[in-house]
Amino acid sequence: MQVMASRILSTLHYVCSSSASATKRCLGLYSHWQRSISGIAASVVADVEPSIAPVQIDQSQLLIDGKFVDAASGKTFPTFDPRTGDVIANVAEGDAEDVNRAVHAARKAFDEGPWPKMTAYERSRIILRFADLLEKHNDEVAAIETWDSGKTYEQAANVEIPMVVRLFRYYAGWADKIHGLTVPADGPYHVQTLHEPIGVAGQIVPWNFPLLIFSWKVAPALACGNTVVMKTAEQTPLSALYVSKLFLEAGLPPGVLNVISGFGPTAGAALCSHMDVDKLAFTGSTSTGKRVLELSAHSNLKPVTLELGGKSPFIVCKDADVDAAVEASHFALFFNQGQCCCAGSRTFVHESIYGEFVEKAKARALKRVVGDPFKNGVEQGPQIDSVQFEKIMKYIRSGVESGAQLESGGQRIGSKGYYIQPTVFSNVQDNMLIAKDEIFGPVQSILKFKDLEEVIRRANATSYGLAAGVFTKNMDTANTLMRALQAGTVWINCYDVFDAAIPFGGYKMSGQGRVRGIYSLRSYLQVKAVVTALKNPAWL
């Protein structure tokens, strides 16, 4: 604490000395920092010295037309270990030429290949074989995901990879159950609808859940009989390349799944603008989502599914079980290092229990174990990279400077890697940046409210609408809030409950369309009406 205070004082002294008029403001700011950091204990820190990752990286090339190949340019780029900032591997850097090659392969596989022409049952069997292989290689895939993204191995191995397996099996089950309708018409006509695959699907996944969101996009697309060109996040390209090899082993025909590692302005933009891509699916920031939509409109007006940012409210009512709500709100915010689009990042607590809640939320944050994500018992690993790390630290400084009370955390852990203490702010006001912006890090903002009408208004006063959480024992209160909150998912007395069958997506600027469940299938199908004239029908 003394070291941190000394650094802050030195910085403020330098700034204050630049002009006399700034002196009073700077001294007041330093006084506020002193009050904020006094008495703050550090969170539990496990050993942050990196252990040796228990996996080898065998695959770093692009997958195009059933073969792993170098980028056309021959370029590579490094992917980094968030625990240290060191290079894990150099990965092929795909660009527009590689996207062209991949789209051509996907188009040929769709127009001429066996995938959309084989029976739905056979497609289902191939997807199921892939799920079996993924389950067999669970630990290796989880290790790659941990090494490349910084998420804990326990989370990857015990939660995420099993969820990916489950989701592929879920959509494998849908493959032979996709069908149209027979529609009555006024007159002697037989009318039917056909549900047909849309064609070549371009897909772009983010870095926070690389393989999980890969499954959300690839599984329904393949179940419907489409072909895919996937662009991975440049921060986390490794797991998608690894599992694509398993898809080929499962019998997926060449060209049905193509994987391009590369950067957004080159490979991503080329995929979005490509005239031979029939549909786009993107998960990422709202600002990039707007660009994806724009490129689609300027090319061939391909339909777009967007799953974007969020600033989700977590509402704790006066009758809530405080201990349960504290634990759930902690999980809602700090899960995956806070790098979650639906994180419960605005914790609204009723004024009658606010003080008790803040103290218990602070105590829980101080018990959170931060360290090398490969080690047992660690709850929180490093942030993804230096860019995200600096962004989070900037928001933490903003919270203190704007008058929020720093209850715990707020500091870097260790001298290398991108570890941040679990951070809790109280006395947060709606106009503060930490209450308005998507931080995407381990920073909990706790706000106070008086009644339902007020909290509904404040919870909805955002451009986002991805998710919300409600803790109450009163079903009337729950029913009021679940209908009033403008969010694609509302969790009641729980949070972050995901299932293959539960649709997920946002209102407002949190996106358009839905992933998972039956709703996702609609994004990968065209509906065709077929009308046949009847002569002397026995019935209509």
Side-chain angles (χ1 to χ4, degrees), residues 276-338:
D276 220 12
V277 171
D278 299 304
K279 186 263 185 305
L280 284 175
F282 170 81
T283 297
S285 70
T286 296
S287 59
T288 304
K290 290 180 179 180
R291 180 60 176 156
V292 169
L293 202 59
E294 180 183 8
L295 292 172
S296 169
H298 287 168
S299 54
N300 59 345
L301 206 62
K302 58 182 75 70
V304 181
T305 302
L306 299 172
E307 194 255 290
L308 307 176
K311 193 66 179 174
S312 300
F314 187 105
I315 300 172
V316 184
C317 299
K318 61 183 177 181
D319 66 333
D321 180 330
V322 174
D323 291 335
V326 165
E327 186 61 33
S329 69
H330 180 86
F331 178 75
L333 189 284
F334 293 104
F335 173 60
N336 204 55
Q337 291 71 250

Short mmCIF file of all heavy atoms in Angstrom, two decimals, residues 276-338:
data_model
loop_
_atom_site.label_atom_id
_atom_site.label_comp_id
_atom_site.label_asym_id
_atom_site.label_seq_id
_atom_site.Cartn_x
_atom_site.Cartn_y
_atom_site.Cartn_z
N ASP A 276 -19.22 -13.80 -51.97
CA ASP A 276 -19.65 -15.20 -52.05
C ASP A 276 -19.91 -15.80 -50.68
O ASP A 276 -20.07 -17.01 -50.55
CB ASP A 276 -18.60 -16.03 -52.79
CG ASP A 276 -19.24 -17.04 -53.74
OD1 ASP A 276 -20.46 -16.94 -53.96
OD2 ASP A 276 -18.52 -17.94 -54.22
N VAL A 277 -19.94 -14.96 -49.64
CA VAL A 277 -20.36 -15.40 -48.31
C VAL A 277 -21.84 -15.08 -48.17
O VAL A 277 -22.28 -13.96 -48.45
CB VAL A 277 -19.53 -14.69 -47.21
CG1 VAL A 277 -20.11 -14.97 -45.83
CG2 VAL A 277 -18.08 -15.15 -47.28
N ASP A 278 -22.63 -16.04 -47.72
CA ASP A 278 -24.09 -15.90 -47.70
C ASP A 278 -24.64 -15.44 -46.35
O ASP A 278 -25.80 -15.03 -46.28
CB ASP A 278 -24.74 -17.24 -48.06
CG ASP A 278 -24.35 -17.71 -49.44
OD1 ASP A 278 -24.56 -16.96 -50.40
OD2 ASP A 278 -23.80 -18.84 -49.55
N LYS A 279 -23.84 -15.55 -45.30
CA LYS A 279 -24.32 -15.18 -43.96
C LYS A 279 -23.13 -14.89 -43.06
O LYS A 279 -22.08 -15.54 -43.20
CB LYS A 279 -25.16 -16.34 -43.40
CG LYS A 279 -25.86 -16.08 -42.07
CD LYS A 279 -25.08 -16.60 -40.89
CE LYS A 279 -25.83 -16.45 -39.57
NZ LYS A 279 -26.27 -15.06 -39.27
N LEU A 280 -23.28 -13.93 -42.15
CA LEU A 280 -22.22 -13.60 -41.19
C LEU A 280 -22.72 -13.80 -39.77
O LEU A 280 -23.88 -13.51 -39.46
CB LEU A 280 -21.78 -12.15 -41.34
CG LEU A 280 -20.90 -11.76 -42.52
CD1 LEU A 280 -20.70 -10.25 -42.54
CD2 LEU A 280 -19.55 -12.47 -42.46
N ALA A 281 -21.84 -14.28 -38.90
CA ALA A 281 -22.11 -14.35 -37.47
C ALA A 281 -20.89 -13.80 -36.75
O ALA A 281 -19.77 -14.26 -36.98
CB ALA A 281 -22.39 -15.78 -37.03
N PHE A 282 -21.11 -12.83 -35.88
CA PHE A 282 -20.00 -12.15 -35.20
C PHE A 282 -20.30 -12.04 -33.72
O PHE A 282 -21.42 -11.70 -33.32
CB PHE A 282 -19.80 -10.75 -35.79
CG PHE A 282 -18.84 -9.89 -35.01
CD1 PHE A 282 -17.47 -10.03 -35.17
CD2 PHE A 282 -19.30 -8.94 -34.10
CE1 PHE A 282 -16.58 -9.24 -34.45
CE2 PHE A 282 -18.43 -8.15 -33.37
CZ PHE A 282 -17.06 -8.30 -33.55
N THR A 283 -19.29 -12.30 -32.90
CA THR A 283 -19.34 -12.01 -31.47
C THR A 283 -18.15 -11.14 -31.12
O THR A 283 -17.00 -11.48 -31.45
CB THR A 283 -19.32 -13.30 -30.63
OG1 THR A 283 -20.49 -14.07 -30.91
CG2 THR A 283 -19.29 -12.98 -29.15
N GLY A 284 -18.41 -10.01 -30.45
CA GLY A 284 -17.33 -9.11 -30.08
C GLY A 284 -17.89 -7.79 -29.59
O GLY A 284 -19.01 -7.71 -29.09
N SER A 285 -17.12 -6.74 -29.76
CA SER A 285 -17.51 -5.42 -29.26
C SER A 285 -18.60 -4.81 -30.12
O SER A 285 -18.74 -5.13 -31.31
CB SER A 285 -16.30 -4.49 -29.22
OG SER A 285 -15.91 -4.15 -30.55
N THR A 286 -19.36 -3.90 -29.53
CA THR A 286 -20.42 -3.23 -30.27
C THR A 286 -19.85 -2.39 -31.39
O THR A 286 -20.42 -2.34 -32.50
CB THR A 286 -21.25 -2.35 -29.31
OG1 THR A 286 -21.90 -3.21 -28.36
CG2 THR A 286 -22.30 -1.55 -30.05
N SER A 287 -18.73 -1.72 -31.16
CA SER A 287 -18.14 -0.88 -32.21
C SER A 287 -17.73 -1.71 -33.42
O SER A 287 -17.97 -1.32 -34.57
CB SER A 287 -16.94 -0.11 -31.65
OG SER A 287 -15.95 -1.00 -31.16
N THR A 288 -17.14 -2.88 -33.18
CA THR A 288 -16.76 -3.73 -34.31
C THR A 288 -17.99 -4.34 -34.96
O THR A 288 -18.04 -4.51 -36.19
CB THR A 288 -15.81 -4.85 -33.83
OG1 THR A 288 -14.68 -4.26 -33.19
CG2 THR A 288 -15.32 -5.68 -35.01
N GLY A 289 -19.01 -4.64 -34.16
CA GLY A 289 -20.25 -5.17 -34.71
C GLY A 289 -20.88 -4.21 -35.70
O GLY A 289 -21.44 -4.63 -36.74
N LYS A 290 -20.83 -2.92 -35.42
CA LYS A 290 -21.34 -1.93 -36.36
C LYS A 290 -20.58 -2.00 -37.68
O LYS A 290 -21.18 -1.88 -38.76
CB LYS A 290 -21.21 -0.53 -35.76
CG LYS A 290 -22.14 -0.25 -34.60
CD LYS A 290 -21.92 1.18 -34.10
CE LYS A 290 -22.84 1.52 -32.96
NZ LYS A 290 -22.63 2.92 -32.48
N ARG A 291 -19.28 -2.18 -37.59
CA ARG A 291 -18.46 -2.25 -38.80
C ARG A 291 -18.79 -3.51 -39.60
O ARG A 291 -18.86 -3.47 -40.84
CB ARG A 291 -16.98 -2.24 -38.41
CG ARG A 291 -16.01 -2.31 -39.57
CD ARG A 291 -16.18 -1.13 -40.51
NE ARG A 291 -15.19 -1.15 -41.59
CZ ARG A 291 -15.35 -0.56 -42.76
NH1 ARG A 291 -16.47 0.10 -43.04
NH2 ARG A 291 -14.40 -0.62 -43.66
N VAL A 292 -19.02 -4.63 -38.91
CA VAL A 292 -19.39 -5.87 -39.58
C VAL A 292 -20.70 -5.68 -40.35
O VAL A 292 -20.83 -6.08 -41.51
CB VAL A 292 -19.53 -7.01 -38.55
CG1 VAL A 292 -20.18 -8.25 -39.19
CG2 VAL A 292 -18.17 -7.38 -37.97
N LEU A 293 -21.67 -5.03 -39.72
CA LEU A 293 -22.96 -4.78 -40.35
C LEU A 293 -22.80 -3.86 -41.56
O LEU A 293 -23.43 -4.07 -42.61
CB LEU A 293 -23.91 -4.16 -39.33
CG LEU A 293 -25.40 -4.27 -39.58
CD1 LEU A 293 -25.85 -5.72 -39.69
CD2 LEU A 293 -26.17 -3.57 -38.47
N GLU A 294 -21.95 -2.87 -41.42
CA GLU A 294 -21.70 -1.93 -42.52
C GLU A 294 -21.07 -2.64 -43.72
O GLU A 294 -21.49 -2.43 -44.87
CB GLU A 294 -20.79 -0.81 -42.01
CG GLU A 294 -20.47 0.24 -43.06
CD GLU A 294 -19.50 1.29 -42.54
OE1 GLU A 294 -18.97 1.11 -41.42
OE2 GLU A 294 -19.28 2.28 -43.24
N LEU A 295 -20.09 -3.48 -43.47
CA LEU A 295 -19.43 -4.19 -44.57
C LEU A 295 -20.38 -5.15 -45.27
O LEU A 295 -20.33 -5.34 -46.49
CB LEU A 295 -18.20 -4.94 -44.05
CG LEU A 295 -17.04 -4.07 -43.58
CD1 LEU A 295 -15.96 -4.91 -42.90
CD2 LEU A 295 -16.44 -3.28 -44.75
N SER A 296 -21.26 -5.76 -44.48
CA SER A 296 -22.27 -6.64 -45.08
C SER A 296 -23.19 -5.85 -46.01
O SER A 296 -23.48 -6.27 -47.13
CB SER A 296 -23.09 -7.31 -43.99
OG SER A 296 -24.22 -7.96 -44.54
N ALA A 297 -23.63 -4.68 -45.54
CA ALA A 297 -24.54 -3.87 -46.34
C ALA A 297 -23.88 -3.37 -47.61
O ALA A 297 -24.52 -3.29 -48.67
CB ALA A 297 -25.04 -2.69 -45.50
N HIS A 298 -22.60 -3.06 -47.54
CA HIS A 298 -21.90 -2.53 -48.70
C HIS A 298 -21.48 -3.61 -49.68
O HIS A 298 -21.03 -3.29 -50.79
CB HIS A 298 -20.66 -1.74 -48.25
CG HIS A 298 -21.00 -0.42 -47.63
ND1 HIS A 298 -20.08 0.35 -46.94
CD2 HIS A 298 -22.17 0.27 -47.57
CE1 HIS A 298 -20.66 1.45 -46.50
NE2 HIS A 298 -21.93 1.43 -46.87
N SER A 299 -21.59 -4.86 -49.29
CA SER A 299 -21.24 -5.95 -50.22
C SER A 299 -22.52 -6.54 -50.79
O SER A 299 -23.20 -5.92 -51.60
CB SER A 299 -20.36 -6.99 -49.53
OG SER A 299 -20.97 -7.46 -48.34
N ASN A 300 -22.89 -7.71 -50.35
CA ASN A 300 -24.05 -8.39 -50.94
C ASN A 300 -25.26 -8.45 -50.01
O ASN A 300 -26.15 -9.25 -50.19
CB ASN A 300 -23.68 -9.80 -51.39
CG ASN A 300 -23.16 -10.66 -50.24
OD1 ASN A 300 -22.83 -10.14 -49.17
ND2 ASN A 300 -23.09 -11.96 -50.45
N LEU A 301 -25.29 -7.59 -48.99
CA LEU A 301 -26.40 -7.51 -48.04
C LEU A 301 -26.68 -8.85 -47.38
O LEU A 301 -27.82 -9.23 -47.16
CB LEU A 301 -27.66 -6.97 -48.74
CG LEU A 301 -28.68 -6.26 -47.86
CD1 LEU A 301 -28.09 -5.01 -47.23
CD2 LEU A 301 -29.92 -5.90 -48.67
N LYS A 302 -25.61 -9.57 -47.07
CA LYS A 302 -25.76 -10.86 -46.40
C LYS A 302 -26.36 -10.66 -45.00
O LYS A 302 -26.04 -9.67 -44.32
CB LYS A 302 -24.41 -11.57 -46.32
CG LYS A 302 -23.33 -10.78 -45.61
CD LYS A 302 -21.98 -11.51 -45.61
CE LYS A 302 -21.29 -11.47 -46.94
NZ LYS A 302 -20.79 -10.12 -47.32
N PRO A 303 -27.23 -11.54 -44.53
CA PRO A 303 -27.78 -11.40 -43.18
C PRO A 303 -26.69 -11.57 -42.13
O PRO A 303 -25.73 -12.32 -42.32
CB PRO A 303 -28.82 -12.51 -43.10
CG PRO A 303 -28.42 -13.50 -44.15
CD PRO A 303 -27.76 -12.72 -45.24
N VAL A 304 -26.87 -10.89 -41.00
CA VAL A 304 -25.85 -10.84 -39.96
C VAL A 304 -26.47 -11.15 -38.60
O VAL A 304 -27.51 -10.59 -38.25
CB VAL A 304 -25.16 -9.46 -39.90
CG1 VAL A 304 -24.07 -9.44 -38.83
CG2 VAL A 304 -24.57 -9.10 -41.26
N THR A 305 -25.83 -12.03 -37.85
CA THR A 305 -26.15 -12.26 -36.44
C THR A 305 -25.04 -11.62 -35.61
O THR A 305 -23.86 -11.87 -35.85
CB THR A 305 -26.24 -13.76 -36.13
OG1 THR A 305 -27.22 -14.35 -36.97
CG2 THR A 305 -26.62 -13.98 -34.68
N LEU A 306 -25.42 -10.80 -34.64
CA LEU A 306 -24.45 -10.08 -33.82
C LEU A 306 -24.70 -10.35 -32.34
O LEU A 306 -25.82 -10.18 -31.86
CB LEU A 306 -24.55 -8.57 -34.07
CG LEU A 306 -24.28 -8.07 -35.49
CD1 LEU A 306 -24.61 -6.59 -35.59
CD2 LEU A 306 -22.84 -8.32 -35.89
N GLU A 307 -23.67 -10.77 -31.63
CA GLU A 307 -23.72 -10.90 -30.17
C GLU A 307 -22.63 -10.00 -29.62
O GLU A 307 -21.45 -10.28 -29.77
CB GLU A 307 -23.52 -12.36 -29.75
CG GLU A 307 -23.90 -12.63 -28.31
CD GLU A 307 -22.68 -12.79 -27.42
OE1 GLU A 307 -21.98 -13.79 -27.54
OE2 GLU A 307 -22.46 -11.88 -26.59
N LEU A 308 -23.04 -8.85 -29.03
CA LEU A 308 -22.12 -7.76 -28.76
C LEU A 308 -21.96 -7.48 -27.27
O LEU A 308 -22.10 -8.38 -26.46
CB LEU A 308 -22.62 -6.51 -29.52
CG LEU A 308 -22.86 -6.73 -31.02
CD1 LEU A 308 -23.43 -5.48 -31.67
CD2 LEU A 308 -21.60 -7.19 -31.74
N GLY A 309 -21.66 -6.25 -26.94
CA GLY A 309 -21.29 -5.91 -25.57
C GLY A 309 -22.45 -5.85 -24.60
O GLY A 309 -23.61 -6.02 -24.97
N GLY A 310 -22.13 -5.57 -23.36
CA GLY A 310 -23.16 -5.48 -22.33
C GLY A 310 -22.69 -4.70 -21.12
O GLY A 310 -21.50 -4.50 -20.90
N LYS A 311 -23.65 -4.22 -20.36
CA LYS A 311 -23.41 -3.59 -19.07
C LYS A 311 -24.56 -4.02 -18.17
O LYS A 311 -25.44 -3.24 -17.80
CB LYS A 311 -23.34 -2.07 -19.21
CG LYS A 311 -22.78 -1.37 -17.97
CD LYS A 311 -21.31 -1.70 -17.73
CE LYS A 311 -20.77 -0.97 -16.51
NZ LYS A 311 -19.39 -1.38 -16.18
N SER A 312 -24.57 -5.30 -17.86
CA SER A 312 -25.76 -5.95 -17.31
C SER A 312 -26.00 -5.61 -15.84
O SER A 312 -25.08 -5.67 -15.02
CB SER A 312 -25.63 -7.46 -17.47
OG SER A 312 -25.51 -7.80 -18.84
N PRO A 313 -27.26 -5.28 -15.49
CA PRO A 313 -27.59 -5.02 -14.09
C PRO A 313 -27.80 -6.31 -13.31
O PRO A 313 -28.35 -7.28 -13.82
CB PRO A 313 -28.91 -4.24 -14.19
CG PRO A 313 -29.54 -4.76 -15.45
CD PRO A 313 -28.40 -5.06 -16.39
N PHE A 314 -27.34 -6.31 -12.07
CA PHE A 314 -27.58 -7.40 -11.12
C PHE A 314 -28.31 -6.77 -9.95
O PHE A 314 -27.71 -6.00 -9.18
CB PHE A 314 -26.25 -8.03 -10.69
CG PHE A 314 -26.40 -9.27 -9.84
CD1 PHE A 314 -26.16 -10.52 -10.37
CD2 PHE A 314 -26.77 -9.17 -8.51
CE1 PHE A 314 -26.28 -11.66 -9.60
CE2 PHE A 314 -26.90 -10.30 -7.73
CZ PHE A 314 -26.66 -11.55 -8.27
N ILE A 315 -29.60 -7.05 -9.81
CA ILE A 315 -30.46 -6.34 -8.87
C ILE A 315 -30.71 -7.20 -7.63
O ILE A 315 -31.24 -8.32 -7.73
CB ILE A 315 -31.79 -5.96 -9.53
CG1 ILE A 315 -31.52 -5.05 -10.74
CG2 ILE A 315 -32.73 -5.29 -8.54
CD1 ILE A 315 -32.74 -4.77 -11.59
N VAL A 316 -30.34 -6.66 -6.47
CA VAL A 316 -30.52 -7.36 -5.20
C VAL A 316 -31.62 -6.63 -4.42
O VAL A 316 -31.42 -5.50 -3.95
CB VAL A 316 -29.22 -7.39 -4.38
CG1 VAL A 316 -29.41 -8.20 -3.10
CG2 VAL A 316 -28.08 -7.97 -5.21
N CYS A 317 -32.77 -7.27 -4.31
CA CYS A 317 -33.92 -6.65 -3.65
C CYS A 317 -33.81 -6.76 -2.13
O CYS A 317 -33.01 -7.54 -1.60
CB CYS A 317 -35.20 -7.31 -4.14
SG CYS A 317 -35.45 -7.11 -5.93
N LYS A 318 -34.63 -6.00 -1.43
CA LYS A 318 -34.51 -5.90 0.03
C LYS A 318 -34.81 -7.21 0.74
O LYS A 318 -34.35 -7.42 1.87
CB LYS A 318 -35.42 -4.80 0.56
CG LYS A 318 -36.89 -4.99 0.29
CD LYS A 318 -37.69 -3.79 0.79
CE LYS A 318 -39.17 -3.92 0.48
NZ LYS A 318 -39.93 -2.74 0.95
N ASP A 319 -35.56 -8.12 0.09
CA ASP A 319 -35.90 -9.40 0.72
C ASP A 319 -34.99 -10.53 0.31
O ASP A 319 -35.22 -11.69 0.65
CB ASP A 319 -37.36 -9.77 0.39
CG ASP A 319 -37.55 -10.05 -1.09
OD1 ASP A 319 -36.79 -9.48 -1.90
OD2 ASP A 319 -38.45 -10.82 -1.44
N ALA A 320 -33.94 -10.22 -0.43
CA ALA A 320 -33.06 -11.26 -0.95
C ALA A 320 -32.24 -11.92 0.14
O ALA A 320 -31.98 -11.33 1.20
CB ALA A 320 -32.11 -10.66 -2.00
N ASP A 321 -31.84 -13.14 -0.11
CA ASP A 321 -30.86 -13.84 0.73
C ASP A 321 -29.51 -13.17 0.46
O ASP A 321 -28.92 -13.38 -0.60
CB ASP A 321 -30.85 -15.32 0.37
CG ASP A 321 -29.85 -16.14 1.20
OD1 ASP A 321 -28.81 -15.59 1.60
OD2 ASP A 321 -30.10 -17.33 1.40
N VAL A 322 -29.05 -12.36 1.38
CA VAL A 322 -27.87 -11.53 1.13
C VAL A 322 -26.64 -12.38 0.84
O VAL A 322 -25.87 -12.10 -0.10
CB VAL A 322 -27.61 -10.57 2.31
CG1 VAL A 322 -26.28 -9.82 2.11
CG2 VAL A 322 -28.75 -9.59 2.44
N ASP A 323 -26.41 -13.42 1.62
CA ASP A 323 -25.22 -14.25 1.41
C ASP A 323 -25.23 -14.90 0.03
O ASP A 323 -24.21 -14.93 -0.67
CB ASP A 323 -25.13 -15.32 2.49
CG ASP A 323 -24.82 -14.74 3.87
OD1 ASP A 323 -24.21 -13.65 3.92
OD2 ASP A 323 -25.18 -15.37 4.87
N ALA A 324 -26.39 -15.41 -0.37
CA ALA A 324 -26.50 -16.04 -1.69
C ALA A 324 -26.32 -15.00 -2.79
O ALA A 324 -25.67 -15.26 -3.81
CB ALA A 324 -27.84 -16.74 -1.83
N ALA A 325 -26.87 -13.81 -2.58
CA ALA A 325 -26.75 -12.75 -3.58
C ALA A 325 -25.32 -12.26 -3.71
O ALA A 325 -24.85 -11.96 -4.82
CB ALA A 325 -27.68 -11.60 -3.22
N VAL A 326 -24.62 -12.17 -2.59
CA VAL A 326 -23.21 -11.76 -2.62
C VAL A 326 -22.40 -12.75 -3.45
O VAL A 326 -21.60 -12.37 -4.32
CB VAL A 326 -22.64 -11.63 -1.20
CG1 VAL A 326 -21.10 -11.57 -1.22
CG2 VAL A 326 -23.20 -10.40 -0.51
N GLU A 327 -22.58 -14.03 -3.19
CA GLU A 327 -21.82 -15.05 -3.92
C GLU A 327 -22.17 -15.04 -5.40
O GLU A 327 -21.29 -15.13 -6.26
CB GLU A 327 -22.10 -16.44 -3.32
CG GLU A 327 -21.24 -17.55 -3.91
CD GLU A 327 -19.75 -17.35 -3.70
OE1 GLU A 327 -19.36 -16.78 -2.65
OE2 GLU A 327 -18.95 -17.76 -4.58
N ALA A 328 -23.46 -14.92 -5.71
CA ALA A 328 -23.87 -14.92 -7.12
C ALA A 328 -23.38 -13.67 -7.84
O ALA A 328 -22.96 -13.75 -9.00
CB ALA A 328 -25.39 -15.03 -7.22
N SER A 329 -23.44 -12.52 -7.18
CA SER A 329 -22.97 -11.29 -7.83
C SER A 329 -21.46 -11.32 -8.03
O SER A 329 -20.94 -10.77 -9.01
CB SER A 329 -23.37 -10.07 -6.99
OG SER A 329 -22.65 -10.01 -5.77
N HIS A 330 -20.76 -11.94 -7.09
CA HIS A 330 -19.31 -12.11 -7.22
C HIS A 330 -18.99 -12.95 -8.46
O HIS A 330 -18.15 -12.57 -9.29
CB HIS A 330 -18.75 -12.78 -5.97
CG HIS A 330 -17.28 -13.01 -6.00
ND1 HIS A 330 -16.36 -12.06 -5.61
CD2 HIS A 330 -16.55 -14.09 -6.40
CE1 HIS A 330 -15.13 -12.54 -5.76
NE2 HIS A 330 -15.23 -13.77 -6.23
N PHE A 331 -19.69 -14.07 -8.58
CA PHE A 331 -19.49 -14.94 -9.75
C PHE A 331 -19.90 -14.21 -11.03
O PHE A 331 -19.21 -14.30 -12.06
CB PHE A 331 -20.32 -16.21 -9.58
CG PHE A 331 -20.24 -17.15 -10.75
CD1 PHE A 331 -19.12 -17.92 -10.98
CD2 PHE A 331 -21.31 -17.26 -11.63
CE1 PHE A 331 -19.04 -18.78 -12.07
CE2 PHE A 331 -21.26 -18.12 -12.71
CZ PHE A 331 -20.12 -18.88 -12.93
N ALA A 332 -21.01 -13.46 -10.98
CA ALA A 332 -21.52 -12.78 -12.16
C ALA A 332 -20.53 -11.77 -12.71
O ALA A 332 -20.49 -11.52 -13.92
CB ALA A 332 -22.83 -12.07 -11.82
N LEU A 333 -19.72 -11.20 -11.85
CA LEU A 333 -18.76 -10.19 -12.29
C LEU A 333 -17.37 -10.76 -12.54
O LEU A 333 -16.75 -10.48 -13.56
CB LEU A 333 -18.68 -9.06 -11.25
CG LEU A 333 -17.90 -7.80 -11.61
CD1 LEU A 333 -16.38 -7.93 -11.54
CD2 LEU A 333 -18.29 -7.30 -13.01
N PHE A 334 -16.87 -11.58 -11.62
CA PHE A 334 -15.46 -11.99 -11.68
C PHE A 334 -15.21 -13.25 -12.52
O PHE A 334 -14.05 -13.57 -12.80
CB PHE A 334 -14.92 -12.19 -10.26
CG PHE A 334 -14.82 -10.91 -9.48
CD1 PHE A 334 -15.76 -10.61 -8.50
CD2 PHE A 334 -13.82 -9.99 -9.74
CE1 PHE A 334 -15.69 -9.43 -7.79
CE2 PHE A 334 -13.73 -8.81 -9.04
CZ PHE A 334 -14.66 -8.51 -8.05
N PHE A 335 -16.26 -13.95 -12.90
CA PHE A 335 -16.10 -15.13 -13.74
C PHE A 335 -15.28 -14.80 -14.99
O PHE A 335 -15.49 -13.78 -15.63
CB PHE A 335 -17.48 -15.65 -14.14
CG PHE A 335 -17.46 -16.77 -15.14
CD1 PHE A 335 -16.83 -17.96 -14.87
CD2 PHE A 335 -18.09 -16.61 -16.37
CE1 PHE A 335 -16.82 -19.00 -15.80
CE2 PHE A 335 -18.10 -17.64 -17.31
CZ PHE A 335 -17.45 -18.83 -17.02
N ASN A 336 -14.32 -15.67 -15.29
CA ASN A 336 -13.46 -15.51 -16.48
C ASN A 336 -12.68 -14.19 -16.44
O ASN A 336 -12.52 -13.51 -17.44
CB ASN A 336 -14.29 -15.59 -17.76
CG ASN A 336 -13.46 -16.02 -18.96
OD1 ASN A 336 -12.80 -17.06 -18.94
ND2 ASN A 336 -13.47 -15.22 -20.01
N GLN A 337 -12.21 -13.82 -15.24
CA GLN A 337 -11.43 -12.58 -15.04
C GLN A 337 -12.25 -11.34 -15.36
O GLN A 337 -11.69 -10.28 -15.67
CB GLN A 337 -10.14 -12.57 -15.87
CG GLN A 337 -9.08 -13.56 -15.44
CD GLN A 337 -9.46 -15.00 -15.77
OE1 GLN A 337 -9.76 -15.78 -14.87
NE2 GLN A 337 -9.46 -15.36 -17.04
N GLY A 338 -13.57 -11.45 -15.30
CA GLY A 338 -14.43 -10.32 -15.64
C GLY A 338 -14.58 -10.10 -17.13
O GLY A 338 -15.25 -9.15 -17.55
#
